[in-house]
Amino acid sequence: MPEHLSTIQLAAAAILTVAGVVWAIGVLRLLRRYRAQAIRELAAARLPFLPAQPGTGPLRESVELTPAEQDAFAGLIRQLGHG
């Protein structure tokens, strides 16, 4: 305990520290609650001038490679892996 501070000053500092921590926790909880509420409201509100977007993307395309193309691709991957 520092010699130049009284017990009352130390107790007041401890009480103010605890009050500050409680206040900060309360503010953070309020901000989280209102931010979550704002996100829900924003998600619920649709922009009327935008058309509805489809739920799926385009179909995936694939091409079968010949054995020579597969070997060339494997060689390219080996070259890129070493450099």
Side-chain angles (χ1 to χ4, degrees):
M1 184 161 87
E3 296 174 7
H4 64 282
L5 293 177
S6 68
T7 306
I8 294 174
Q9 287 175 324
L10 290 174
I15 290 171
L16 286 175
T17 302
V18 169
V21 169
V22 169
W23 176 82
I25 290 172
V27 167
L28 288 175
R29 290 185 70 182
L30 284 174
L31 287 175
R32 282 188 189 147
R33 181 186 312 157
Y34 288 121
R35 182 178 62 190
Q37 182 181 357
I39 289 172
R40 282 193 299 269
E41 288 174 1
L42 185 62
R46 299 256 178 199
L47 298 176
F49 51 84
L50 292 178
Q53 300 295 311
T56 61
L59 297 176
R60 249 183 122 169
E61 296 182 12
S62 63
V63 176
E64 292 293 326
L65 299 178
T66 64
E69 291 172 330
Q70 289 177 355
D71 291 339
F73 182 73
L76 178 65
I77 294 299
R78 281 192 296 274
Q79 284 179 348
L80 292 175
H82 292 303

